[in-house]
Amino acid sequence: MTEPETAGALLRLLREEADEPRFRAVAAAPQLVDDALEIRSRLAAHRRREAALAALYETAGDLASLRDLEDVLQAIVSRARTLIGTDVAYLLLADPEEGDTYVRVTDGITTDGFKTGRLAAGTGLGGLVAATAVPYHTADYPNDARFAHTPYVDGVIGAEGLVAIQGVPLKFGDQVYGVLFAANRRVRPFSPDEVDLLVSLANHAALAIENATLFEEVHKTAAVHERLTAVALDGGGPTGLASELADVLHGSVLVLDAQDRPLASAGDAPPEPGDLVREMAQARARRGPASRGSACATPIVAADEHLGTLLLVRGGLDASDIHALERAAQAAALMLLGERTVAEAEHRLRGEILEDLLGAPHREPEGLRRRAALVGLDLEADHMVLVARGGDNTRRRRITELAGGHATRLGGIAGEYGGSTVVVLPTADDPGGAARSLAELLTGGIGHPVTVGAETAAPGAAAVVDAHRDAARCLDVLVALDRAGEGACRDDLGIHGILLGPAGREELDRFVRRTIGPLVEHDEARGSDLVRTALTYFACDGNLSRTATALYVHVNTLYQRIDRISALLGPLWRHGDHALQVHLALTMRRTAGPGSGGSCQAVQDPGASTR
């Protein structure tokens, strides 16, 4: 046979996938036969790799589609036995609490002792794989001295009749879940391709286990989230959250606010915050859960704001419990933020209603009445209006916040209007007492004197507007009388209150102009300080030395001013009934503010700087 004929014959044998003896029968060209057999071997290996890759791809798809952990584990060992072509396959999972591994799933195993076996770290082939996370295989395990043999392990393997064993780690990242095995009941070496194939399968299997574990955790935490969402929608608040969480996690739960004050608890023996101070501090610092023994703490956080802490006490806490507690903390954060958002929205609504009520009560009276009813305010009933003032813008915001809480507790509304804090309450009882109580509350709350004026209002929006005006005037009188930090209504102010009434205001203006008008006009025209000089004179009981000291002027200067006042008001202004009327006019002008007895500013308190 010529060389071309020999080559053609060998090609036909390759195409037919003939066995080796048929190739050797072509004896005319031994070198060509050897080359053909090499090609045949490579083609066979290539076909095996293609088949293995196809099977591995199919396996990865099957594993990815499974969600139940038990189904995943069974699919892993069944496919390993099929792909490697061994008598049996089995899987050991790590037990972190015991520090060993245990047989979880088998395929082809017949003895019960094997199915319930446990393997200490470093013991036997499987223990070595679990301890080192490195694949090992042997063609004859009973006689392989590389592994630490023990009577128990050798007895279990001997009872099953296993000889050739291959084990690879189930590893995902740094986490080793266990060991996957393929084994035969006869001596059988494992080729590098078979080792690589089982390693690839183990990698896919580890990912599938991770996914299935996460799915179980997600399912558990989703159930927690669903139940807690129902609590939030039903308005259960922290109490409902603690009760539901204690029920689903079978433990005791405590919910704390941002200052570690208990908001709610549930369970047989709710934990005490004092017992878990370290865990709570660690949880806040890590912005994640911290556990010790049977207790776990996790912070309730929204963005960068710490809203509180969740504490759980239960024996046998595992990772899924901690994840569920973290999810519960998220639900708690949403719940607490929702409650705060509702409160803020209601506060804004009350402020807007107050703005419309005082600023434009006649623009849309029916719509105003309906919106007021939304916050529990019946404009057809008697009310009380309180006006508070006591500091700069920062303090005013805090005053409004405190007054808002006070008003809400009493069924009223509060907000800022005209530079002051205004409170409208659905009652007309004891306005003076209400003003004093609110002044005490606000002064203590901000650490600075807050003055409050109050007045009652008859039914109707217009009456509320009038009451607001009178309450504001009452507040101004308190400040003018050096009674900052107090609370009062018009009836508490004696004659000042009478003259501040609707009927007395015009008469007050006429009285002030008639009594001290020339004095006021002189100060306006000349820029002098005679009004304050006269007021200080009366405040010092007519003592010229004390008056000069209070005004920071020489007594001779005071004599000159007294003479000028006498020239303007007459020589009797310091004596008898004339003195009473002048003193009263000066005081009423100061307490009534601008617009009383002239357009000049109100007289300053004695002791202020002089010109």
Side-chain angles (χ1 to χ4, degrees), residues 279-280 282-291 297-299 301 322 326:
E279 284 69 27
M280 291 161 57
Q282 289 179 349
R284 282 195 291 269
R286 294 165 48 190
R287 298 179 67 84
S291 58
T298 189
V301 179
I322 296 175
E326 288 183 282

Side-chain angles (χ1 to χ4, degrees), residues 168-189:
V168 297
L170 291 170
K171 184 177 179 183
F172 183 79
D174 295 331
Q175 176 72 33
V176 177
Y177 289 105
V179 182
L180 176 61
F181 296 89
N184 276 329
R185 294 187 174 91
R186 65 185 186 283
V187 175
R188 176 191 188 275

Side-chain angles (χ1 to χ4, degrees), residues 384 386 406 425 429-439 452 454:
M384 181 192 304
L386 302 98
H406 178 74
L425 299 178
D429 298 332
D430 191 15
R436 287 185 288 276
S437 296
L438 183 58
V452 180

Side-chain angles (χ1 to χ4, degrees), residues 83-102:
L83 288 179
I84 307 301
T86 54
D87 296 329
V88 302
Y90 53 99
L91 185 147
L92 271 64
L93 287 185
D95 187 340
E97 293 187 3
E98 297 295 331
D100 62 2
T101 58
Y102 63 98

Side-chain angles (χ1 to χ4, degrees), residues 188-535:
R188 176 191 188 275
F190 293 97
S191 69
D193 288 343
E194 290 175 324
V195 175
D196 291 341
L197 181 57
L198 195 62
V199 168
S200 297
L201 178 62
N203 291 336
H204 285 293
L207 177 59
I209 292 174
E210 173 73 10
N211 289 340
T213 302
L214 292 177
F215 182 79
E216 283 192 351
E217 291 181 358
V218 167
H219 182 72
K220 182 175 185 177
T221 54
V224 170
H225 183 75
E226 182 178 352
R227 294 179 66 170
L228 295 184
T229 300
V231 170
L233 292 176
D234 292 339
T239 300
L241 181 143
S243 178
E244 200 69 24
L245 193 58
D247 181 63
V248 73
L249 294 183
H250 309 292
S252 297
V253 174
L254 180 64
V255 185
L256 305 175
D257 66 8
Q259 286 73 44
D260 294 336
R261 296 172 301 199
L263 292 175
S265 62
D268 295 334
E272 289 293 333
D275 298 335
L276 298 168
V277 170
R278 188 179 66 182
E279 284 69 27
M280 291 161 57
Q282 289 179 349
R284 282 195 291 269
R286 294 165 48 190
R287 298 179 67 84
S291 58
R292 173 173 58 92
S294 61
C296 181
T298 189
I300 303 172
V301 179
D304 293 329
E305 184 178 3
H306 175 75
L307 301 176
T309 307
L310 271 182
L311 297 177
L312 170 67
V313 171
R314 199 204 74 188
L317 286 175
D318 57 26
S320 64
D321 294 319
I322 296 175
H323 289 170
L325 192 65
E326 288 183 282
R327 178 58 65 89
Q330 296 174 10
L334 292 174
M335 185 180 298
L336 295 177
L337 285 177
E339 289 182 348
R340 188 168 70 183
T341 300
V342 169
E344 291 174 349
E346 185 173 341
H347 178 70
R348 286 195 300 271
L349 175 61
R350 292 170 183 267
E352 291 170 359
I353 292 173
L354 184 65
E355 183 80 22
D356 291 344
L357 177 61
L358 299 179
H362 305 296
R363 184 171 60 191
E364 191 185 355
E366 184 59 27
L368 180 60
R369 184 189 64 79
R370 287 196 305 268
R371 287 192 294 124
L374 291 176
V375 294
L377 200 63
D378 181 8
L379 294 180
E380 301 306 316
D382 293 337
H383 288 86
M384 181 192 304
V385 180
L386 302 98
V387 180
R389 193 184 314 128
D392 54 19
N393 290 338
T394 302
R395 287 196 178 108
R396 186 164 69 241
R397 286 192 293 271
R398 179 57 178 158
I399 290 171
T400 302
E401 179 183 332
L402 292 172
H406 178 74
T408 300
R409 287 190 293 273
L410 298 178
I413 62 175
E416 290 187 21
Y417 184 81
S420 300
T421 297
V422 180
V423 178
V424 180
L425 299 178
T427 179
D429 298 332
D430 191 15
R436 287 185 288 276
S437 296
L438 183 58
E440 181 179 359
L441 170 69
L442 299 178
T443 297
I446 71 168
H448 184 83
V450 179
T451 310
V452 180
E455 189 55 81
T456 57
V464 173
V465 174
D466 292 339
H468 168 257
R469 179 193 61 225
D470 292 341
R473 288 175 179 170
C474 184
L475 186 155
D476 291 335
V477 170
L478 286 172
V479 174
L481 293 175
D482 296 325
R483 293 171 60 182
E486 296 184 22
C489 65
R490 188 171 59 188
D491 291 345
D492 298 327
L493 298 177
I495 189 171
H496 299 287
I498 295 173
L499 293 176
L500 284 175
R505 183 59 186 250
E506 292 184 5
E507 185 60 35
L508 170 63
D509 289 344
R510 286 193 294 270
F511 169 74
V512 171
R513 288 182 179 277
R514 184 173 61 249
T515 306
I516 61 171
L519 210 60
V520 174
E521 293 171 359
H522 184 277
D523 279 354
E524 287 181 337
R526 306 288 183 86
S528 57
D529 208 10
L530 298 182
V531 169
R532 191 166 65 87
T533 298
L535 188 58

